[in-house]
């Protein structure tokens, strides 16, 4: 069975073509707050097709990007061909051979939630020297109740909660996630780092952007999210057809969606506050090289 984490690898080209990019202001703020050394090395966790990688490499930083998906890693290498200062390794963060204190900045763009929460923060704490920064950000649809959002949610809910979807093995998660009063989904996803004693948060920022889509492009966008990829047929096709008819019949063939990107930046403490758990393992192999993997 296809794992949720690997769904994106099956739609790599579409992912790169239609996923919204992150606002340039995010990179400006990130670099101003984290202050990596000029021409310094940045480690990216879950590079996908290289969207954030290219933005950082274009600013002169050496970026070592980790991407476990074979199709996404290959696509990222092609997309980054113009940047000799960017290298992509096909490996997960948990399995990468990363030297202690080998990077001053670790970033992850809408990907950290695929990292093992029991390992990820401790690995990051080891790879970063004291004073180094870990920056995570997520982009997602705004929860604003605009007319299209309300009507499309009704259509989606009807399809994914149908007996046919259940019989087909659908395991839909986007209809709601337990997050507590006033908590955004991104804050829940970042909770493993927030709870780790090696880090203290130094900044948090939100960015609001909009994108317009015709019906077909919007359907392609939805088809890059795990919940939609994993929907069984003919549930997925029926859902897409109803959304297509909604956009073309009630919204003039185009919809504008609002996206919210939330950036979190933590600094590696100079001294780790003790807690009741063992310290990270030592004896890790040398830092990953610049050759592809």
């Amino acid at each position: 069975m296809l794992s949720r984490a690997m769904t994106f690898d099956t739609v790599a080209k579409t992912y790169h073509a239609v996923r919204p990019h992150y606002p340039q202001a995010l990179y400006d703020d990130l670099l101003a707050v984290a202050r990596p050394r000029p021409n310094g090395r940045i480690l990216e966790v879950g590079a996908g097709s290289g969207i954030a990688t290219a933005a950082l490499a274009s600013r002169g930083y050496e970026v070592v990007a980790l991407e476990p998906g074979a199709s996404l890693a290959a696509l990222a290498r092609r997309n980054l061909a113009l940047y000799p200062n960017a290298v992509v390794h096909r490996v997960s963060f948990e399995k990468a051979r990363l030297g202690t204190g080998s990077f001053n900045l670790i970033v992850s763009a809408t990907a950290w939630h695929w990292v093992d929460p029991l390992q990820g923060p401790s690995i990051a704490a080891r790879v970063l020297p004291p004073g180094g920064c870990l920056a995570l950000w997520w982009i997602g649809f705004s929860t604003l109740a605009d007319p299209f959002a309300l009507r499309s949610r009704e259509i989606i809910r009807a399809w994914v909660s149908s007996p046919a979807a259940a019989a087909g093995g659908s395991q839909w998660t986007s209809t709601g996630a337990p997050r507590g009063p006033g908590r955004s989904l991104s804050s829940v996803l970042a909770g493993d780092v927030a709870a780790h004693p090696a880090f203290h948060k130094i900044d948090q920022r939100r960015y609001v952007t909009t994108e317009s889509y015709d019906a077909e492009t919007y359907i392609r966008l939805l088809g890059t999210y795990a919940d939609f990829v994993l929907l069984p047929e003919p549930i997925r096709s029926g859902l897409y057809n109803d959304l297509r008819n909604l956009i073309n019949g009630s919204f003039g063939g185009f919809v504008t969606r609002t996206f919210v990107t939330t950036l979190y930046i933590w600094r590696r403490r100079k001294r780790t506050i003790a807690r009741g758990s063992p310290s990270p393992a030592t004896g890790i192999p040398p830092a990953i090289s610049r050759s592809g993997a």
Side-chain angles (χ1 to χ4, degrees):
M1 179 180 292
L2 180 67
S3 72
R4 296 185 65 82
M6 287 292 101
T7 54
F8 311 102
D9 203 55
T10 67
V11 292
K13 291 182 179 180
T14 304
Y15 183 102
H16 186 76
V18 300
R19 278 293 184 108
H21 286 208
Y22 307 106
Q24 290 301 310
L26 181 149
Y27 301 106
D28 294 338
D29 294 342
L30 163 65
L31 298 173
V33 173
R35 299 192 304 275
R37 295 189 304 268
N39 302 317
R41 300 174 78 219
I42 297 175
L43 177 68
E44 183 183 8
V45 178
S49 61
I51 293 173
T53 324
L56 293 167
S58 68
R59 295 169 183 247
Y61 293 94
E62 179 184 346
V63 185
V64 176
L66 310 180
E67 171 51 52
S71 297
L72 281 169
L75 180 59
R77 287 175 180 141
R78 293 195 294 273
N79 292 335
L80 296 164
L82 296 178
Y83 300 103
N85 52 324
V87 61
V88 180
H89 295 272
R90 186 194 162 196
V91 66
S92 68
F93 185 49
E94 296 89 336
K95 294 182 179 179
R97 299 174 62 187
L98 300 164
T100 300
S102 53
F103 292 88
N104 284 97
L105 175 61
I106 299 175
V107 303
S108 185
T110 317
W112 186 262
H113 52 287
W114 300 117
V115 173
D116 184 340
L118 298 179
Q119 297 185 58
S122 293
I123 295 172
R126 179 181 55 76
V127 172
L128 290 168
C133 287
L134 171 61
L136 312 178
W137 62 93
W138 282 270
I139 188 170
F141 290 105
S142 168
T143 56
L144 293 174
D146 62 86
F148 175 74
L150 289 173
R151 293 184 64 180
S152 63
R153 285 175 197 162
E154 291 176 358
I155 291 173
I156 292 171
R157 187 175 293 110
W159 277 101
V160 304
S161 61
S162 67
S170 175
Q171 294 182 328
W172 189 266
T173 63
S174 291
T175 52
R179 58 188 75 169
R183 297 192 67 191
S184 67
L185 179 57
S186 60
S187 70
V188 173
L189 297 174
D192 57 339
V193 179
H196 197 279
F199 293 100
H200 66 100
K201 189 165 69 174
I202 59 173
D203 211 333
Q204 177 177 334
R205 306 190 184 201
R206 295 174 74 249
Y207 309 83
V208 179
T209 53
T210 59
E211 299 282 348
S212 294
Y213 303 94
D214 61 26
E216 294 306 319
T217 306
Y218 189 68
I219 296 303
R220 291 177 69 207
L221 172 66
L222 295 185
T224 67
Y225 290 93
D227 281 327
F228 291 92
V229 175
L230 293 173
L231 274 177
E233 289 289 4
I235 301 299
R236 182 170 61 240
S237 295
L239 168 58
Y240 287 170
N241 191 56
D242 280 359
L243 291 174
R244 186 180 294 111
N245 290 337
L246 174 66
I247 295 171
N248 289 329
S250 301
F251 291 89
F254 287 87
V255 291
T256 298
R257 299 304 317 266
T258 300
F259 294 90
V260 177
T261 305
T262 308
L263 167 67
Y264 303 88
I265 306 176
W266 288 270
R267 193 175 300 283
R268 173 74 163 86
R269 296 181 188 274
K270 294 184 178 179
R271 292 186 63 183
T272 299
I273 299 174
R275 67 174 182 178
S277 62
S279 59
T282 58
I284 304 299
I288 210 163
S289 69
R290 282 191 52 83
S291 60

